[in-house]
Amino acid sequence: MEKTEALLSPLLDMMDEGVLVLDHNHHIIHMNKKAKKITGILLNPHYSHNAGTIETGDIVIFISNQLGADDGPLAPSDLECLGFNPKAIAEGESIMGIGIYQNQSIAPIYKHIKESSFTEKLELRDHFLGHDIECSLDYNEKRMVITVNQMVFEQTYTQSFGHMVIINGETSQIKFFQDKGYTIRHEAIGDLLKGRPFDAKSKHATDWDSRLINQPFESFFTAKAVTEALTEIDQMNETRQIKKFISLNHRPIYTIISPLDENYVLKFRDLSEMDSLLKEHEQLLDDLEQLHPPHFSKDELLALNAFESIIGHSYAMRQVKFLAAKAANVTSSILLTGESGTGKSLLAEHIHKESQRQGRFVAVNCAAIPESLFESELFGYEKGAFTGANQQGKIGYFEQADQGTLFLDEIGELPLNIQAKLLQALQTKSFFRVGAHQPSAFNVRVITATNIDLLDAVKQGYFRSDLYYRINVFPIHIPALRERKEDLYALVKNSLNRICTDLNMPLKQISGEAFQLIKRYQWPGNIRELENVLERAVVITPYDVITPEVIHYPTSNGQPQSILPLKEQLEQAEKEILKAALRDTTHKKEAIEKLGLSKSSFYDKLKKYQLD
């Protein structure tokens, strides 16, 4: 066993996830370095302190983001020893304070707010008995910082949490500070205020490592879900893996529990750590973008600035924004094409805003109007025009959009007889209300949109060719999401921000594994489907990081069912190969030689995939 341990230990220490091995009695056999780091057994603090207990006269500085729900837990009555009136504070509040242990002659200093009054940050600063003390609780960054005479003690958290620093009342030196593994040492605020001793802290204090081996898991780790899973495996003689979100010593953990012979292997990741890594990754991307900004023409830059709220900097979306900016400055009819859910309505509205037209933007879904009502809805009607008509008459969509923009979505759903009347209105800039004898003139910019091939509909006799050419003066095609996956990260980030704001929930981010899963999916429902999947994940996950387990596609078995035709798959693969060749070579000539293509064939493919 010792020989096996000596061989396995270096390998397990190289893993980027925590590994905890238990025997059949649930006793700890092995923990790799990452597991010790997550649980706080490995210490590498800037400061150190000896073992001891809190004593009369010691200065206690503490922060709790949710009193009574934090680890311990810390109750209002526990703070009486610091001179607090427990009736003045309540469970569920955020509180930070400075007090003297078992000394009623000096009143404590503190701030507290109700949970319903949470702001971005709660701060307390004071010169207390010769010490410059600052406390900060940042709700957005989920960070607690206690600064004592310029010494900084920081803790990050995900859920309810407590942080504390103790100053020796006699020597004025730091006597104790909270560290990540305080729960395994039973050093929560409530424990220490009740007189429980604390261990020494220094980067050399590694005796806890040996103290854990061959001891029961439940003696050091509070994780009811793990205990229940182990019992389930024992009773059911399970051989499959069990995957769970758990709270391990009050830290959010995603764990995989696997039976192995008579042992159990627990692999886990700290979700709060993943959140921090994501922020670092995001900052790195921003820094790289500033170091190597993409080259845009002057017109492209103007278009990108004008349509900044349309997410996407891929070549395809830059072309869309460029054309949209040009279209906004003319009065020609615009035809937006693209699959359902690609954002045609949003683009139409932004074109209207950039056009500086004085009237309204009126959006009409042609697929939602009954055929018998099309004419009266579009053009309106005179009073008494037909049985059941409003006696005052009614203005139609054209009049509502006067001096503005009329957006006709799903234009391919228009009945043929209405197509003829729409064509006449567009040609003459006037229309007849139902029941009217005189035409009404209008000044309306018309934008149409469709997710079908209108030219094919013309060939099949479902759509008038003259109307097609009338509305197709300025065509703009919006690519499917699968054709611009380089925009996915920005779309996901933007959607999560909006969804969390709309649902009044804390901001959530997406893990690398979940994002890779999103990238592999083909998104037949495009941006609309992406937003629906993300909203469901935001609601389901109990943590601040979205992991693969809460990404579910709207299918019967939760798995992607979108399989592209072979031709499209081959084209996508060809496009990726070309992109890689351009990225990995210095000159196009070198890329041509490596790919084994003729010069004309190479440039034809660049044009086809818009890579030139």
Side-chain angles (χ1 to χ4, degrees):
M1 180 66 187
E2 290 182 4
K3 185 176 180 181
T4 304
E5 170 78 10
L7 291 171
L8 281 177
S9 185
L11 294 174
L12 293 175
D13 284 344
M14 293 172 64
M15 296 181 67
D16 195 36
E17 56 188 354
V19 177
L20 180 64
V21 183
L22 308 178
D23 66 13
H24 65 285
N25 291 320
H26 305 174
H27 288 198
I28 300 167
I29 297 176
H30 181 81
M31 289 182 74
N32 72 343
K33 187 177 289 185
K34 186 68 175 181
K36 296 170 188 173
K37 183 179 178 182
I38 291 173
T39 56
I41 295 168
L42 282 183
L43 292 172
N44 186 23
H46 298 290
Y47 314 113
S48 61
H49 67 71
N50 297 323
T53 58
I54 184 170
E55 296 174 304
T56 300
D58 288 341
I59 300 172
V60 177
I61 309 128
F62 71 95
I63 304 174
S64 173
N65 71 323
Q66 197 171 358
L67 194 64
D70 50 8
D71 25 61
L74 182 64
S77 58
D78 294 330
L79 299 175
E80 283 190 87
C81 61
L82 301 178
F84 284 79
N85 178 5
K87 294 181 180 179
I89 49 181
E91 291 191 1
E93 293 184 334
S94 286
I95 184 170
M96 55 178 58
I98 311 167
I100 303 177
Y101 190 68
Q102 302 292 5
N103 185 336
Q104 304 295 323
S105 61
I106 300 178
I109 298 169
Y110 65 99
K111 282 187 178 181
H112 65 123
I113 56 175
K114 294 181 180 179
E115 186 178 8
S116 59
S117 307
F118 282 178
T119 57
E120 292 185 2
K121 189 177 286 189
L122 182 64
E123 294 180 325
L124 173 66
R125 295 183 177 88
D126 198 79
H127 186 73
F128 191 86
L129 298 183
H131 300 281
D132 289 320
I133 299 173
E134 295 183 16
C135 298
S136 172
L137 171 54
D138 190 317
Y139 296 105
N140 290 337
E141 296 294 328
K142 295 189 177 299
R143 185 171 69 246
M144 297 179 177
V145 182
I146 296 175
T147 305
V148 180
N149 302 324
Q150 297 185 335
M151 292 184 289
V152 179
F153 303 92
E154 180 177 328
Q155 290 286 339
T156 58
Y157 68 90
T158 301
Q159 297 173 302
S160 303
F161 193 83
H163 183 27
M164 182 166 67
V165 174
I166 301 173
I167 303 174
N168 191 306
E170 293 183 357
T171 66
S172 293
Q173 301 299 309
I174 298 297
K175 185 173 186 176
F176 170 87
F177 57 85
Q178 210 73 281
D179 205 350
K180 190 174 182 180
Y182 66 90
T183 47
I184 203 170
R185 298 175 172 83
H186 302 291
E187 293 175 349
I189 300 176
D191 295 328
L192 299 189
L193 291 179
K194 293 181 179 73
R196 191 181 190 101
F198 49 81
D199 282 305
K201 288 190 182 72
S202 79
K203 60 185 177 182
H204 305 297
T206 57
D207 61 318
W208 266 91
D209 189 358
S210 58
R211 227 189 287 186
L212 294 168
I213 302 303
N214 296 323
Q215 297 301 312
F217 171 83
E218 294 83 359
S219 298
F220 300 98
F221 297 99
T222 304
K224 185 179 178 182
V226 171
T227 305
E228 290 174 349
L230 294 173
T231 303
E232 180 183 341
I233 293 172
D234 291 339
Q235 292 177 348
M236 305 299 293
N237 196 23
E238 289 279 5
T239 57
R240 61 180 174 87
Q241 292 181 338
I242 295 180
K243 302 178 181 180
K244 284 182 176 291
F245 289 103
I246 67 169
S247 176
L248 182 68
N249 286 22
H250 303 284
R251 297 197 77 84
I253 300 291
Y254 172 68
T255 185
I256 300 174
I257 306 169
S258 308
L260 181 64
D261 295 330
E262 294 186 352
N263 298 330
Y264 308 92
V265 178
L266 278 67
K267 293 193 296 183
F268 51 92
R269 292 179 179 271
D270 185 343
L271 296 184
S272 57
E273 184 178 278
M274 289 166 64
D275 182 39
S276 175
L277 290 172
L278 279 168
K279 288 177 182 175
E280 290 179 17
H281 172 68
E282 195 172 296
Q283 184 61 51
L284 178 62
L285 289 177
D286 291 342
D287 292 344
L288 287 174
E289 197 170 272
Q290 292 192 15
L291 284 172
H292 304 286
H295 176 72
F296 299 132
S297 68
K298 183 179 179 180
D299 283 347
E300 280 183 318
L301 282 173
L302 290 173
L304 291 177
N305 290 335
F307 290 84
E308 185 179 8
S309 54
I310 302 288
I311 305 301
H313 275 65
S314 62
Y315 177 83
M317 285 308 295
R318 297 205 313 266
Q319 286 295 99
V320 167
K321 294 179 184 183
F322 176 76
L323 292 173
K326 292 292 185 183
N329 294 321
V330 296
T331 58
S332 306
S333 297
I334 301 170
L335 175 62
L336 304 179
T337 60
E339 295 179 6
S340 179
T342 49
K344 297 186 290 293
S345 304
L346 184 64
L347 183 64
E349 190 169 358
H350 276 73
I351 291 173
H352 166 73
K353 289 178 181 177
E354 287 301 312
S355 69
Q356 305 296 318
R357 296 186 68 85
Q358 300 301 311
R360 294 170 53 197
F361 175 80
V362 178
V364 180
N365 186 348
C366 297
I369 302 176
E371 184 172 346
S372 60
L373 297 179
F374 258 112
E375 186 176 0
S376 61
E377 290 294 316
L378 281 178
F379 305 121
Y381 57 81
E382 297 292 330
K383 60 182 180 179
F386 50 86
T387 303
N390 189 306
Q391 290 306 306
Q392 281 74 44
K394 179 181 178 180
I395 64 171
Y397 294 127
F398 269 93
E399 287 181 272
Q400 292 176 34
D402 190 38
Q403 306 300 319
T405 301
L406 178 62
F407 175 54
L408 299 176
D409 199 6
E410 307 298 351
I411 188 70
E413 300 295 326
L414 273 181
L416 281 168
N417 64 315
I418 301 300
Q419 291 179 28
K421 293 184 178 183
L422 175 61
L423 174 64
Q424 183 182 20
L426 294 177
Q427 287 175 333
T428 63
K429 300 293 183 183
S430 64
F431 61 89
F432 283 86
R433 278 187 173 193
V434 177
H437 301 291
Q438 296 295 325
S440 299
F442 66 84
N443 178 6
V444 174
R445 143 67 76 74
V446 175
I447 302 177
T448 56
T450 182
N451 61 5
I452 66 172
D453 187 338
L454 282 185
L455 198 55
D456 186 56
V458 168
K459 292 175 183 177
Q460 296 184 39
Y462 299 129
F463 202 83
R464 294 179 62 102
S465 60
D466 46 6
L467 178 59
Y468 171 72
Y469 292 114
R470 170 62 64 179
I471 63 176
N472 194 28
V473 178
F474 204 126
I476 301 176
H477 177 72
I478 305 177
L481 187 52
R482 63 180 174 274
E483 296 169 353
R484 57 180 187 107
K485 288 194 172 180
E486 51 267 65
D487 292 332
L488 261 175
Y489 184 77
L491 284 166
V492 168
K493 179 182 175 183
N494 180 267
S495 296
L496 285 176
N497 288 346
R498 181 187 56 76
I499 290 166
C500 292
T501 300
D502 290 347
L503 297 178
N504 195 25
M505 297 178 71
L507 180 62
K508 297 178 187 287
Q509 298 194 40
I510 191 159
S511 72
E513 295 92 336
F515 183 65
Q516 290 304 316
L517 187 66
I518 283 174
K519 283 184 68 176
R520 288 197 296 269
Y521 186 47
Q522 295 303 323
W523 299 106
N526 294 293
I527 297 173
R528 186 181 297 124
E529 183 185 11
L530 173 67
E531 290 178 340
N532 291 341
V533 168
L534 290 174
E535 183 169 344
R536 183 182 187 278
V538 165
V539 173
I540 288 175
T541 183
Y543 303 113
D544 289 343
V545 179
I546 293 173
T547 57
E549 289 68 33
V550 295
I551 299 292
H552 293 280
Y553 304 105
T555 61
S556 57
N557 60 2
Q559 296 300 317
Q561 291 184 336
S562 173
I563 300 176
L564 293 177
L566 179 60
K567 181 183 176 183
E568 284 194 45
Q569 293 190 55
L570 292 174
E571 287 179 344
Q572 283 195 10
E574 187 175 57
K575 181 180 178 180
E576 292 302 317
I577 291 169
L578 282 166
K579 286 168 68 176
L582 290 170
R583 185 176 60 246
D584 298 338
T585 54
T586 308
H587 303 288
K588 288 180 181 177
K589 182 179 179 182
E590 183 184 355
I592 291 170
E593 292 174 354
K594 286 195 172 186
L595 292 171
L597 295 172
S598 67
K599 188 174 182 180
S600 60
S601 177
F602 176 77
Y603 280 98
D604 284 344
K605 291 181 185 297
L606 290 189
K607 185 176 180 181
K608 175 182 178 181
Y609 299 119
Q610 300 179 325
L611 296 176
D612 193 4

